[in-house]
Amino acid sequence: MRPEILYDLFKPITALKGVGPRIGALIERRTGPRLVHLLWHLPSGLVDRRHAPKISNAIAGTVATITVRVDKHHKPPNKRVPYKVLCSDETGTLNLVFFHAHEDYLRKNLPEGETRVVSGQIETFGDAIQMSHPDHMVEEVDIASIMTVEPLYPLTTGLTMRVLTRAISNSLKEVPVLPEWADATYVAKQKWPSWRDAVLAAHAPQALTDLEPSAIARCRLAYDELLSNQIALAIIRKHMRQVKGRPLRGTGALVQRVIKTLPFNLTNGQKAAIDEIREDLCSDVRMLRLLQGDVGSGKTLVALMAMLTAVEAGAQAVLMAPTEILARQHLATITPLAKAAGLQIAILTGRERGKNRTSALDALVKGRAQIAVGTHALFQDEVKYKNLALAVIDEQHRFGVHQRLSLAAKGNAVDTLVMTATPIPRTLMLTAYGDMDTSRLKEKPAGRKPVDTRVLPLERLEQIVDACGRALDAGDKVFWVCPLIEESETLDVAAAEDRQAVLTSRFGDQVGLVHGRMKGAEKDKIMAAFVDGNVNILVATTVIEVGVDVPAATVMVIEHAERFGLAQLHQLRGRIGRGNKLATCLLMYGSPLTETARSRLSIMRETDDGFIIAEKDLELRGAGELLGTRQSGMPELRLADLQTHADLLAAARDDAALLLNKDPDLTSERGQAVRTLLYLFERDAAVRNLRSG
Ligand code: ADP
Ligand code: MG
């Protein structure tokens, strides 16, 4: 249960004065639904109002706070001319200028003959000095309240700075003093303020340097976030390991039989990974291993060998993919090999219904099927296994940690192998998975040729269509990827349909379309026709659907490539160039292209190394987007910046390990404080894994 001391911070933002449902919804879209989320919304700029010159010393283009006498209101003859209030001090005159003015309001706030303090940007208009729409107009006694440095926050359409600033400043009033959770010596060494002081300071920047990620208050907050992340991951990991694993000793018989049927040799990386996994399986500590390998590096085969080892030891294994199409693709790859070994495989996705589903469920619970391949349907409640011992999860970052745990709960001490094609940089790897064992497939199978990558504006569509025509004439196949349009599946489907129509008018029924809204069976039919039928151009809306293996595909067209992550582009590109012909990847961008987008796309042209690409992507885009955390429920970092705060991450990891070593159930005084930290950063699930409350 969340500690009482945090209750106020977890109130909905609509509990704040002046925040009703409409404003609340706007703020929520930018920050999140609760007060605590406002705290994480740090200023991106500031306005210094401490400069209080006389009128004649005010400099155009700067912000000034000036004490003036209100001389005369000057109502304009018509609406096109602004309302003016003439003011002065002993050095000169200042005109306050208002467009679409409300006279009553202005007369009330700026009564003729009285003294007022105004603050805003100084402008010149001809010879006159003026200020249009002052940000503040107060009486002289209140001058101190506006002669400050004001934070400026990132906004969203419809949300004004005034409203957001007030909401944040009201939420700051609710910030409690919390017990120190960080290591006291470390805090002292870093000269860090307490958490509360850090929050308040981060929202009260006094100079531009206070806005940098390296500012002391921001470092402290970043550290707290990273510490909560590292402790949460360590707890979950430990929890998984607490349940003793069971040694799975394979005989090697099935593995050898399958290797003999392969028309190629395993790469050294594959051999090493298979050995590492076999060693994990043998031990009585539960395996939690990440198999990292670029697209096409041959992970599926490694996964199969792991599963065969489990089967040799008399157990069952599952392979879970993020989408149905990928699940079926895995099935297609594995089935002939498994058949050679005399095994039965069950498939289970959202689409298996009725008789098919019943018989798959039966085969798994009775143990007739040794291997199951499928989607998240594999870990629904009704699915029971006779003897599940190994779960292989493909493209894990699309699943959440919770799902991984629920799959692990299906069997008795299930070992887990996670496969990912995103070569996750070390820092990101730590925040996403914690300290996980890794096997890496560095080399690609022999005979792969680099893909010729070109970057072109969308205006050259016609040329690209011509290029596709040439590929088709040569008997090749073409992937055509349309981007996901954010938050609108309808629009993105429409865009893909338009594209299909254009291509069909030229190439006829060789053009097929798959998109996220289609029924599974329909998708399968088209995919099958693309793999070895008469569909030669496949238009697809989602990258996920394109994760399939089609050796005849030599061209990959990606529309609005600038909207994709580099890792995604790399993964897509990895889908072609698997045959012996030279392959071409055409990255089409919408103009104008931003500087960042331009450099991202040129990285794609320059390198084929997934690891370099991932590092660059992290540099240019940030962690959340790289891992697609928003869809997956993976913790998103709001305060820490993995580039600037890499050293803090290392410290947080070490501290987390040390702390949990000394106080595994977080019962000491510091342990209790850490629990509060975990709740503060909404890592509730981790706390639930602790032994005592
Ligand atoms: P990944 O899942 O890592 O993207 P896959 O496991 O799908 O890669 O393998 C891609 C292709 O390479 C498959 O067609 C597979 O049969 C083939 N392959 C796997 N290992 C080797 C190897 N050692 N030599 C040649 N081809 C291989
Ligand atoms: Mg694969």
Side-chain angles (χ1 to χ4, degrees), residues 299-300 330 394-395 547 575:
K299 294 183 294 294
T300 315
H330 281 315
D394 190 13
E395 302 294 342
R575 292 293 141 203

Side-chain angles (χ1 to χ4, degrees), residues 29-277:
R29 196 176 322 145
R30 196 68 177 85
T31 65
R34 296 169 190 280
L35 262 55
V36 68
H37 301 131
L38 289 176
L39 306 185
W40 308 148
H41 193 64
L42 298 181
S44 52
L46 52 80
V47 191
D48 191 342
R49 300 192 187 282
R50 291 172 302 185
H51 183 52
K54 291 291 176 196
I55 292 174
S56 63
N57 289 331
I59 301 165
T62 66
V63 170
T65 300
I66 306 183
T67 305
V68 294
R69 198 176 47 249
V70 180
D71 297 325
K72 194 167 177 12
H73 280 239
H74 202 289
K75 194 178 170 187
N78 64 57
K79 287 248 166 192
R80 271 165 298 152
V81 182
Y83 191 104
K84 276 189 186 159
V85 181
L86 312 184
C87 303
S88 61
D89 67 6
E90 65 275 21
T91 70
T93 60
L94 174 73
N95 297 336
L96 305 181
V97 178
F98 300 88
F99 297 87
H100 310 290
H102 293 285
E103 184 175 5
D104 296 350
Y105 171 82
L106 291 176
R107 285 202 179 272
K108 183 162 156 272
N109 282 280
L110 299 165
E112 285 178 2
E114 296 204 13
T115 300
R116 286 291 182 273
V117 183
V118 293
S119 182
Q121 174 113 11
I122 299 293
E123 301 157 2
T124 49
F125 186 73
D127 287 340
I129 301 171
Q130 68 175 40
M131 186 186 283
S132 30
H133 296 267
D135 302 314
H136 297 279
M137 305 185 284
V138 299
E139 293 184 32
E140 225 177 340
V141 292
D142 293 326
I143 186 167
S145 73
I146 62 168
M147 265 183 65
T148 58
V149 182
E150 272 173 24
L152 295 177
Y153 292 99
L155 296 173
T156 189
T157 328
L159 186 62
T160 63
M161 191 63 74
R162 196 181 294 256
V163 166
L164 182 61
T165 305
R166 191 174 50 192
I168 292 178
S169 112
N170 282 336
S171 71
L172 288 171
K173 291 182 193 146
E174 309 281 347
V175 175
V177 173
L178 297 178
E180 182 58 75
W181 45 68
D183 176 61
T185 324
Y186 186 65
V187 171
K189 199 179 114 218
Q190 300 282 344
K191 302 199 171 63
W192 278 344
S194 69
W195 172 76
R196 181 175 188 274
D197 288 346
V199 171
L200 298 180
H203 285 277
Q206 296 300 301
L208 288 173
T209 49
D210 295 338
L211 302 168
E212 306 272 335
S214 57
I216 198 157
R218 292 196 177 211
C219 281
R220 158 92 224 210
L221 297 179
Y223 182 77
D224 292 336
E225 181 173 49
L226 291 168
L227 184 65
S228 75
N229 163 277
Q230 288 299 295
I231 291 177
L233 286 167
I235 290 172
I236 290 178
R237 175 184 165 83
K238 188 161 153 285
H239 180 76
M240 289 191 72
R241 296 214 152 167
Q242 238 158 25
V243 191
K244 258 213 167 277
R246 56 174 163 157
L248 293 172
R249 290 205 183 80
T251 58
L254 295 175
V255 169
Q256 285 315 319
R257 209 180 302 165
V258 170
I259 286 180
K260 274 205 205 100
T261 66
L262 293 176
F264 47 72
N265 293 321
L266 294 178
T267 65
N268 289 330
Q270 285 172 318
K271 284 185 200 150
I274 291 169
D275 286 346
E276 282 163 349
I277 292 165

Side-chain angles (χ1 to χ4, degrees), residues 261-496:
T261 66
L262 293 176
F264 47 72
N265 293 321
L266 294 178
T267 65
N268 289 330
Q270 285 172 318
K271 284 185 200 150
I274 291 169
D275 286 346
E276 282 163 349
I277 292 165
R278 188 180 305 133
E279 211 162 291
D280 282 354
L281 293 175
C282 272
S283 101
D284 66 357
V285 177
R286 282 173 87 183
M287 174 170 83
L288 183 52
R289 180 173 288 277
L290 188 71
L291 175 61
Q292 224 180 50
D294 218 339
V295 262
S297 58
K299 294 183 294 294
T300 315
L301 204 57
V302 174
L304 176 65
M305 295 305 165
M307 295 196 286
L308 292 178
T309 304
V311 175
E312 285 168 4
Q316 287 170 303
V318 301
L319 171 56
M320 176 166 80
T323 69
E324 208 172 294
I325 287 180
L326 279 177
R328 288 182 196 281
Q329 166 111 30
H330 281 315
L331 184 75
T333 313
I334 286 173
T335 304
L337 298 171
K339 283 255 165 69
L343 302 184
Q344 194 190 328
I345 303 186
I347 173 109
L348 210 52
T349 69
R351 258 185 51 219
E352 269 62 43
R353 301 236 170 76
K355 226 170 64 200
N356 287 346
R357 181 178 154 83
T358 319
S359 87
L361 291 183
D362 190 62
L364 291 173
V365 71
K366 302 256 171 66
R368 271 200 320 283
Q370 294 89 348
I371 291 177
V373 176
T375 57
H376 59 280
L378 289 166
F379 61 79
Q380 279 156 1
D381 281 345
E382 312 86 73
V383 187
K384 301 268 184 322
Y385 295 87
K386 179 161 186 232
N387 188 8
L388 180 64
L390 171 66
V392 181
I393 303 179
D394 190 13
E395 302 294 342
Q396 203 274 331
H397 58 262
R398 294 190 191 279
F399 301 102
V401 173
H402 295 289
Q403 282 169 316
R404 195 199 308 165
L405 288 175
S406 57
L407 188 56
K410 285 278 174 199
N412 158 25
V414 172
D415 286 315
T416 307
L417 177 68
V418 175
M419 303 199 286
T420 177
T422 312
I424 308 169
R426 171 100 187 122
T427 47
L428 198 49
M429 166 98 181
L430 267 176
T431 53
Y433 300 98
D435 260 327
M436 204 173 184
D437 300 318
T438 356
S439 299
R440 197 168 283 161
L441 303 181
K442 289 213 188 83
E443 58 202 308
K444 295 215 172 138
R448 295 272 159 81
K449 293 189 194 69
V451 174
D452 179 18
T453 302
R454 311 213 181 144
V455 178
L456 305 158
L458 272 168
E459 287 80 33
R460 288 170 64 183
L461 187 71
E462 220 161 296
Q463 243 173 297
I464 287 164
V465 174
D466 288 344
C468 291
R470 287 193 296 276
L472 296 188
D473 291 342
D476 296 347
K477 301 206 175 211
V478 176
F479 276 113
W480 191 296
V481 180
C482 301
L484 271 172
I485 296 169
E486 209 173 334
E487 281 155 32
S488 171
E489 215 184 12
T490 321
L491 276 181
D492 98 55
V493 168

